[in-house]
Amino acid sequence: MKIKLGMQVLGLLFVVALAGAIFVPAVSADNDKNANIIGIDVPAPEAVDFSISESTSISKENDCEIIIKDPMTYLSYWNERMEWGLSEEELVQYSQILEKKVLDNYYDKEHNYYPITDLNVFSEEVSEILGLNTLQTAKFIQSQKEQLVEDYQNYLLERFEDPAESKDYISPSSRSAPYACGKMYYLYIITDFQNPSSEGAWTTADRTDAMNDASIGTNSIRLQAPSSANAVNDGGFYTVTVSGANTGDNSDAWDPNGWMEEAAENIGYTDVNNDGRTTDDLARSVKSWSGADSVILLYFTHDDWGAYAVGPDKGYADKTAISYWGRTGSGSVPSVPGSYEHESLHLYGALDEYAESSYCGQSSILAVSPMHDMYTNTNHVTCLSSTPSVMRDHTATSVISTSTRCFIGWGDYDNDGTIDPFDSTPSG
């Protein structure tokens, strides 16, 4: 099962009611912030409780490493990958034995799949059924772990263009979440599609779990902030249904006619400034109404289409989509608190620090000035003195590297005791 930590969400989780083409967001009847926003009668988001213990840490204990939905597909994949030479008939026979003698012990009836919590033990069980020798078993275990790392990295791939590494000034006013300082508001938009994936619509249990993980992940950012950043977390959520099906990180999601904009419209917001987008009006509204210094829109989807952050080239609103089941490789990779931390840090200005994404010495198009102008990536895995970080592997640690701290507004470039966003002469 996924991580279950003790953070409770205030209020009830409500289901969107569909009346014709109008979608009504989830709200609390006694919410004293339930007022008109930018002149539109849109109820305030239902509040989320961020009061997580200071000692809370992110752990993979009791977390599933892979999820198997079909033993035949699983064995076929590894038969080809490991070159075992099993025939189709043998694969059918072994998959039946695997399901009956091993997988039945892992079965999750509610979700109709097999969550594997200990890859070493499970791999040895599979090896025994297949009659693999010691060397083959060791190679099989190692290959599965390497595949898992690859899946996680694919899950984190971002698609930002970095035009000629320009040093153009990027104004904080152009972004809803310019840096991780002050009051940070996280708006969860729990999204269902009229044509859902094979995972189906959100269940109450999965939705609560995702919100717990998101709250833990974003709270981890606040816990690591310097005291001078005055970091405070706040947030709320809407539930909404949009047309069509989720197709992942492409224009169907984040373009002006994509489902992210439709979600904002279905909640009740309109394109007040006539710029062709509604998410910016939503973000500005929440920012004004809540008194926040930054607002991030986190879309939750109940599928395995992966996660991605939508940066400054897609309009004022900083937004990200995070699927509940991550991305599918040899098995589904579940989202964890670090998934939400990683993607949120991108929107404050952080770059990836793992191999084949970003590079050592790269400036950040995701960071606003002055951070955009003063810093480069010094913690990429190819840098000489790099250290483990959440921007390198969101499943292993919640630690924010020194390099990322500089990008997101926690640096002090001229060492005068004032962090960069609050320094009138940050470069000295």
Side-chain angles (χ1 to χ4, degrees), residues 1 68-69 99 102-116:
M1 297 298 291
I68 296 176
K69 299 178 183 179
E99 186 169 22
V102 176
L103 286 173
D104 275 355
N105 298 324
Y106 295 90
Y107 185 58
D108 185 320
K109 185 176 181 180
E110 180 182 356
H111 294 92
N112 191 31
Y113 57 60
Y114 309 95
I116 308 304

Side-chain angles (χ1 to χ4, degrees), residues 315-364:
Y316 167 84
D318 289 303
K319 44 194 177 284
T320 180
I322 301 179
S323 62
Y324 186 64
W325 296 118
R327 187 167 300 218
T328 300
S330 58
S332 293
V333 179
S335 294
V336 294
S339 308
Y340 302 90
E341 180 184 359
H342 179 108
E343 299 301 340
S344 295
L345 286 170
H346 269 311
L347 297 178
Y348 293 129
L351 291 177
D352 287 317
E353 295 173 358
Y354 56 83
E356 300 178 2
S357 182
S358 181
Y359 55 83
C360 187
Q362 181 177 358
S363 61
S364 176

Side-chain angles (χ1 to χ4, degrees), residues 193-212:
F193 293 83
Q194 288 181 340
N195 299 326
S197 71
S198 59
E199 304 295 341
W202 279 100
T203 65
T204 299
D206 287 353
R207 183 168 54 187
T208 302
D209 187 31
M211 292 177 71
N212 285 351

Side-chain angles (χ1 to χ4, degrees), residues 158-163 166 168-179 254-256 260-261 275 277 279-280 284 295-296 308-320 343-351 363-369 372 407:
E158 265 54 68
R159 299 177 185 176
F160 293 110
E161 296 179 3
D162 198 354
S166 67
D168 295 337
Y169 181 85
I170 300 178
S171 170
S173 65
S174 67
R175 303 271 297 280
S176 68
Y179 33 71
W254 35 253
D255 260 8
M260 290 182 174
E261 299 296 331
D275 66 347
R277 290 186 177 273
T279 52
D280 66 312
R284 286 189 175 94
V295 171
I296 287 178
Y308 50 93
V310 181
D313 59 333
K314 300 296 187 297
Y316 167 84
D318 289 303
K319 44 194 177 284
T320 180
E343 299 301 340
S344 295
L345 286 170
H346 269 311
L347 297 178
Y348 293 129
L351 291 177
S363 61
S364 176
I365 191 176
L366 307 176
V368 298
S369 296
H372 168 73
F407 281 139

Side-chain angles (χ1 to χ4, degrees), residues 44-113:
E46 177 72 9
V48 173
D49 183 10
F50 285 90
S51 57
I52 304 172
S53 168
E54 297 286 323
S55 62
T56 295
S57 62
I58 297 174
S59 169
K60 280 181 64 62
E61 184 179 358
N62 296 325
D63 191 17
C64 54
E65 294 192 85
I66 65 171
I67 291 169
I68 296 176
K69 299 178 183 179
D70 174 32
M72 180 67 178
T73 301
Y74 173 80
L75 285 184
S76 296
Y77 174 86
W78 286 107
N79 179 51
E80 181 177 353
R81 171 82 175 265
M82 305 305 297
E83 298 181 345
W84 289 328
L86 299 176
S87 66
E88 190 74 18
E89 185 177 280
E90 288 173 319
L91 286 171
V92 171
Q93 179 184 355
Y94 283 129
S95 65
Q96 292 173 346
I97 297 173
L98 178 64
E99 186 169 22
K100 183 175 298 185
K101 290 191 174 182
V102 176
L103 286 173
D104 275 355
N105 298 324
Y106 295 90
Y107 185 58
D108 185 320
K109 185 176 181 180
E110 180 182 356
H111 294 92
N112 191 31
Y113 57 60

Side-chain angles (χ1 to χ4, degrees), residues 367-390:
V368 298
S369 296
M371 288 70 74
H372 168 73
D373 314 309
M374 298 188 302
Y375 297 110
T376 62
N377 191 345
T378 58
N379 198 60
H380 191 265
V381 68
T382 59
C383 295
L384 289 179
S385 300
S386 63
T387 58
S389 74
V390 70

